[in-house]
């Protein structure tokens, strides 16, 4: 096949996948946020909306939300600056979808004489690209705050710009340390460096060689700064609803509000991808390198089947318990839903258990180990990202909001000096090494 | 003036992370417990389960009856006059009972306008209107159906519910000795 055409196809397909990832994460995250907050506060959360009696534990609520948001009247205030008012939500959404383009989703596959990349662009300034694009996203919020000609939204926009700019400093400072350690700014190399075991001054530890173990202080600063960057709870001052009604998007309604809402969640996903790629080994499966995965697909299949079987069984038990305890509540399909879903999950698990002997005797085609490796690595990345997205939700419903001066004090007087000190010490160590 | 010194936080507290971790573990415990035992959450699954409201609940209106089933109301218009939302509309008719002269031919309450202030109950000298039907979901699909008429207000509630709690005043006391009981 023509190699230029092949590359073009490769990039197009991966770009499409990368564009879909945050968009697919958004309903999941909204569901996670609602259900997680409900369970943290001992409530049930959304469980009423159903399609043919299936509620999927509140997931269907998202579809109702979409319908509602699309159907609502789209109000543009008379005094607003129309152009910027319309531009702002699209701007936020656009710049929360672009940065993922530089993140590798799985290791590159070498097949006969072509290479399939699972990354849209392998920039050698990937980290800087990521930063430049994410900092453009602030402009959307500032524009929304200013253009809607409302005091509350203006204050929200101002707060968010001040907060994001001051936290971007400590975030960048903490990541410079990583640049010093890895001596590269492209994500492929950074993720590849994190394979194998962690070496600590010549001693091999039983930990994976993740950025977190190399730079724990940088990770903590990055984590706190990422909460501030995405305007999430301990730092959600731009939309402190007790002070500012709703913050920068007071005047927005209908699908334009939904775009802001979605861009907030997309930002969470993007920051989680960055976090995982830099500190938690990206797509790398802990303790197992890409070469090992390609060499032993049978073991991978066995382990995968085992995991799926155990997960299916666990879900089966939890759902049956759930259904049994609430069996008197509902009628019709609603009553049987947990039992049906639980049985389905158990069935899938059993199929994978039965398939285990088949895996052992199957002569798979030559491309199969490569595809399986890519799939496993992508799954590993997604699992890590989901954990960090859950961390965002978890922290939001645990901690109270910071006051504005506390926020600024923390950012400028504590985090920035610590990040700088960390940078200094790391640089000295790297030079002496 | 006395200046209260705030206790200085210990080093571990000012590092935040340990206390944050403790808080996160607390909320995680709640999540796991609620996933495993969904029935012990303190939640009333409303349309399926309904909580019994206590007798002094201020709920929707009802019209009180005399022993023969006719309304106690004599269409004196006091409630309609005092109503701040102007939601009570009464059309008076001539009563067969000579002692009380009038009776409400129509008695409509527009529940969409009602603000549940209870002034009508206080204004009524005859104990003819009460707001003690324990219904909190006054909802419907059309506005016309939310204008409650006399028959609905007289009949659509459980009489026994409040009888023991607050028995009606005798008709002789309110309407005079000549009126039908």
């Amino acid at each position: 096949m023509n190699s230029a055409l092949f590359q073009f196809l490769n990039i197009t397909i991966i770009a499409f996948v990368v564009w879909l990832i945050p968009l697919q994460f958004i309903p999941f995250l909204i569901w996670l946020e609602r259900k997680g907050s409900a369970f943290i506060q001992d409530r049930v959360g959304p469980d009423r909306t159903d399609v043919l009696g299936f509620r999927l534990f509140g997931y269907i609520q998202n579809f109702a939300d979409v319908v509602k948001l699309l159907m609502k009247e789209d109000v543009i205030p008379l005094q607003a600056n129309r152009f910027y008012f319309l531009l702002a939500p699209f701007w936020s959404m656009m710049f929360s979808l672009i940065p993922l383009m530089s993140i590798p989703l799985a290791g590159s596959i070498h097949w006969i004489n072509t290479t399939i990349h699972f990354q849209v662009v392998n920039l050698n300034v990937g980290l800087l690209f990521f930063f430049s694009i994410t900092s453009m996203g602030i402009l959307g919020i500032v524009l929304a705050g200013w253009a809607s000609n409302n005091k509350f939204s203006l204050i929200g926009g101002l707060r968010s710009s001040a907060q994001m700019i001051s936290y971007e400093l400590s975030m960048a400072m903490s990541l410079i340390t990583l640049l010093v350690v890895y001596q590269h700014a492209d994500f492929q190399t950074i993720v590849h460096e994190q394979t194998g075991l962690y070496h600590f001054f010549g001693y091999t530890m039983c930990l994976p060689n993740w950025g977190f173990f190399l730079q724990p202080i940088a990770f903590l600063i990055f984590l706190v700064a990422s909460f501030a960057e995405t305007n999430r709870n301990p730092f959600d001052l731009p939309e402190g609803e007790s002070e500012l009604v709703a913050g920068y998007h007071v005047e927005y309604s209908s699908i334009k509000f939904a775009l802001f809402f979605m861009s907030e969640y997309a930002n969470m996903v993007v920051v989680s991808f960055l976090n995982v790629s830099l500190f938690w080994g990206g797509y790398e499966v802990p303790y197992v390198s890409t070469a090992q995965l390609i060499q032993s697909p049978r073991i991978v299949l066995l382990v995968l089947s085992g995991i799926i079987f155990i997960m299916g069984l666990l879900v089966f038990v939890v759902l049956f318990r759930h259904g049994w305890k609430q069996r008197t509540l509902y009628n019709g399909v609603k009553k049987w839903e947990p039992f049906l879903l639980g049985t389905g999950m158990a069935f899938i698990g059993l199929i994978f258990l039965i398939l285990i002997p088949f895996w052992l005797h199957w002569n798979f085609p030559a491309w199969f180990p490569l595809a399986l490796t890519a799939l496993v690595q992508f799954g590993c990345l997604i699992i890590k990202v989901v954990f960090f997205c859950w961390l965002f939700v978890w922290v939001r419903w645990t901690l109270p909001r910071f006051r504005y001066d506390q926020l600024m004090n923390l950012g400028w007087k504590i985090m920035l000096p610590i990040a700088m000190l960390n940078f200094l010490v790391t640089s000295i160590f790297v030079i002496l090494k | 003036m006395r200046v209260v010194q705030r206790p200085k936080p210990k080093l571990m507290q000012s590092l935040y992370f340990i206390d944050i971790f403790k808080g996160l573990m607390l909320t995680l415990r709640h999540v796991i417990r609620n996933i495993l035992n969904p029935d012990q959450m303190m939640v009333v699954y409303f349309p399926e389960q309904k909580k019994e409201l206590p007798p002094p609940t201020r709920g929707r209106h009802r019209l009180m009856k005399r022993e023969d089933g006719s309304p106690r109301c004599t269409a004196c218009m006091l409630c309609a006059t005092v109503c701040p939302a102007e939601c009570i509309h009464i059309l008076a008719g001539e009563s067969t009972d000579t002692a009380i002269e009038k009776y409400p031919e129509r008695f409509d309450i527009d529940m969409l306008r009602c603000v549940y202030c209870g002034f009508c109950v206080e204004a009524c000298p005859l104990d003819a209107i009460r707001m003690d039907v324990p219904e909190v979901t006054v909802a419907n699909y059309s506005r016309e159906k939310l204008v409650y008429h006399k028959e609905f207000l007289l009949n659509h509630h459980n009489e026994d519910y409040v009888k023991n709690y607050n028995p009606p005043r005798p008709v002789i006391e309110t309407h005079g000795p000549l009126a039908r009981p």
Side-chain angles (χ1 to χ4, degrees):
Chain A
M1 193 189 255
N2 188 350
S3 95
L5 180 69
F6 182 79
Q7 278 210 337
F8 174 74
L9 272 179
N10 181 1
I11 287 176
T12 318
I13 292 167
I14 295 301
F16 187 65
V17 170
V18 164
W19 174 70
L20 276 181
I21 287 171
L23 293 183
Q24 292 305 312
F25 256 96
I26 287 163
F28 170 72
L29 282 181
I30 291 171
W31 173 79
L32 191 71
E33 176 112 51
R34 285 188 176 142
K35 221 56 184 174
S37 67
F39 280 146
I40 282 170
Q41 298 169 348
D42 291 349
R43 295 183 283 112
V44 211
D47 71 337
R48 292 286 150 176
T49 332
D50 63 85
V51 174
L52 303 174
F54 283 98
R55 298 161 293 158
L56 297 179
F57 303 94
Y59 203 86
I60 300 293
Q61 184 74 36
N62 288 321
F63 300 108
D65 279 341
V66 169
V67 172
K68 175 207 134 192
L69 284 167
L70 282 171
M71 298 281 199
K72 275 185 101 168
E73 189 190 357
D74 196 356
V75 182
I76 299 176
L78 202 62
Q79 298 295 315
N81 186 324
R82 213 181 149 84
F83 176 68
Y84 291 129
F85 187 82
L86 290 174
L87 180 66
F90 297 103
W91 189 279
S92 308
M93 195 63 205
M94 184 167 73
F95 284 102
S96 52
L97 290 181
I98 289 177
L100 274 191
M101 297 291 166
S102 62
I103 298 274
L105 302 179
S108 298
I109 288 178
H110 304 285
W111 169 243
I112 311 177
N113 45 17
T114 48
T115 309
I116 303 171
H117 294 287
F118 289 96
Q119 186 185 21
V120 181
V121 276
N122 189 15
L123 290 172
N124 56 359
V125 287
L127 196 55
L128 301 182
F129 169 79
F130 204 100
F131 259 88
S132 55
I133 298 295
T134 44
S135 52
M136 290 292 273
I138 302 171
L139 199 55
I141 290 174
V142 178
L143 268 183
W146 180 77
S148 47
N149 201 0
N150 177 317
K151 292 185 194 72
F152 292 116
S153 61
L154 183 63
I155 295 170
L158 270 175
R159 276 186 178 191
S160 80
S161 57
Q163 169 187 328
M164 285 166 113
I165 287 165
S166 44
Y167 274 82
E168 203 135 89
L169 276 175
S170 39
M171 196 181 195
M173 259 302 168
S174 69
L175 293 191
I176 282 175
T177 340
L178 276 187
L179 286 189
V180 170
V181 172
Y182 292 130
Q183 318 231 332
H184 278 286
D186 71 313
F187 284 107
Q188 284 273 2
T189 325
I190 289 177
V191 171
H192 194 69
E193 290 261 322
Q194 298 182 46
T195 46
L197 291 175
Y198 174 44
H199 298 279
F200 187 70
F201 291 109
Y203 296 100
T204 309
M205 318 285 268
C206 57
L207 295 169
N209 192 15
W210 283 344
F212 170 70
F213 300 112
L214 291 174
Q215 287 293 331
I217 296 169
F219 168 72
L220 287 177
I221 289 165
F222 173 80
L223 190 71
V224 175
S226 68
F227 279 105
E229 281 290 295
T230 49
N231 297 326
R232 291 288 297 185
N233 192 291
F235 309 106
D236 68 342
L237 289 159
E239 44 193 299
E241 55 282 307
S242 49
E243 302 139 33
L244 294 177
V245 194
Y248 56 89
H249 52 60
V250 190
E251 295 287 354
Y252 284 87
S253 50
S254 179
I255 198 68
K256 291 213 279 298
F257 166 74
L259 275 176
F260 274 120
F261 199 65
M262 280 155 68
S263 79
E264 192 190 313
Y265 283 95
N267 269 330
M268 273 165 63
V269 178
V270 163
V271 168
S272 301
F273 265 96
L274 179 66
N275 193 345
V276 166
S277 295
L278 291 177
F279 291 100
W280 301 92
Y283 56 76
E284 296 285 355
V285 185
Y287 302 111
V288 188
S289 70
T290 314
Q292 282 169 327
L293 280 177
I294 293 172
Q295 274 163 17
S296 47
R298 278 185 215 282
I299 298 172
V300 173
L301 275 176
L302 283 184
V303 171
L304 267 187
S305 309
I307 289 173
I308 291 171
F309 173 67
I310 291 167
M311 289 304 287
L313 219 60
L314 266 177
V315 172
F316 172 77
V317 169
V318 168
L319 288 190
F320 257 68
R321 215 183 134 96
H322 196 101
W324 183 252
K325 297 215 166 186
Q326 298 191 333
R327 67 192 180 282
T328 51
L329 262 181
Y330 305 110
N331 284 317
V333 187
K334 275 186 178 179
K335 183 176 177 178
W336 299 109
E337 191 199 353
F339 298 114
L340 288 173
L341 292 179
T343 316
M345 292 307 285
F347 191 63
I348 291 170
L350 275 179
I351 284 177
F352 273 86
L353 190 72
I354 291 164
L355 278 177
I356 282 179
F358 174 69
W359 299 141
L360 293 173
H361 298 290
W362 183 38
N363 291 322
F364 34 71
W367 54 265
F368 182 73
L370 299 170
L372 186 70
T373 305
L375 203 68
V376 166
Q377 287 183 336
F378 182 62
C380 189
L381 179 69
I382 293 296
I383 287 170
K384 287 172 184 174
V385 168
V386 165
F387 173 76
F388 279 96
C389 289
W390 161 244
L391 188 72
F392 273 99
V393 173
W394 191 10
V395 166
R396 173 171 177 186
W397 297 98
T398 304
L399 300 183
R401 186 182 298 138
F402 272 85
R403 221 190 313 134
Y404 192 63
D405 60 320
Q406 290 172 336
L407 174 95
M408 284 296 163
N409 277 343
L410 185 70
W412 288 98
K413 290 185 186 167
I414 301 174
M415 278 175 41
L416 190 60
I418 291 176
M420 283 172 146
L421 207 67
N422 187 30
F423 172 47
L424 195 72
V425 174
T426 313
S427 317
I428 291 170
F429 267 93
V430 168
I431 289 167
L432 287 181
K433 204 169 166 189
Chain B
M1 194 177 71
R2 194 164 65 91
V3 179
V4 179
Q5 293 290 335
R6 290 194 175 216
K8 247 185 131 55
K10 290 174 198 153
L11 180 69
M12 279 299 157
Q13 281 174 345
S14 57
L15 275 177
Y16 288 121
F17 282 107
I18 290 159
D19 283 6
I20 286 174
F21 184 75
K22 278 184 197 163
L24 287 176
M25 283 301 119
L26 180 82
T27 45
L28 186 68
R29 253 202 321 276
H30 276 261
V31 171
I32 291 170
R33 202 184 64 197
N34 290 331
I35 287 174
L36 293 180
N37 302 312
D39 58 331
Q40 54 88 53
M41 282 188 265
M42 282 195 248
V43 171
V44 178
Y45 290 79
F46 171 62
E48 289 91 8
Q49 300 175 341
K50 275 179 185 156
K51 225 179 153 183
E52 190 121 318
L53 295 168
T57 310
R58 175 179 293 178
R60 140 177 112 62
H61 312 70
R62 67 174 173 131
L63 286 178
M64 308 282 281
K65 281 186 227 171
R66 282 188 268 178
E67 274 171 21
D68 59 348
S70 58
R72 288 173 71 113
C73 178
T74 56
C76 68
M77 301 288 180
L78 278 179
C79 53
T81 313
V82 80
C83 181
E86 297 180 6
C87 68
I88 303 177
H89 306 285
I90 304 170
L91 182 67
E94 201 171 327
S95 174
T96 48
D97 189 347
T98 47
I100 58 172
E101 293 177 8
K102 287 196 292 177
Y103 84 107
E105 212 165 88
R106 293 172 64 92
F107 193 104
D108 301 342
I109 298 182
D110 190 346
M111 296 308 284
L112 290 170
R113 291 187 67 105
C114 178
V115 293
Y116 287 85
C117 62
F119 283 3
C120 48
V121 182
E122 281 180 38
C124 187
L126 307 172
D127 191 18
I129 187 168
R130 282 193 180 180
M131 290 180 74
D132 51 10
V133 184
E135 257 177 41
V136 287
T137 49
V138 178
N140 220 314
Y141 287 105
S142 75
R143 293 179 183 192
E144 286 75 31
K145 283 180 185 161
L146 279 169
V147 179
Y148 287 169
H149 300 298
K150 189 176 80 174
E151 289 69 34
F152 186 89
L153 292 165
L154 275 171
N155 300 319
H156 276 257
H157 50 80
N158 187 1
E159 283 283 348
D160 303 331
Y161 184 71
V162 284
K163 202 167 258 175
N164 298 331
Y165 167 69
N166 192 2
R169 285 167 69 194
V171 177
I172 298 171
E173 242 178 63
T174 52
H175 292 61
L178 294 175
R180 282 204 305 267

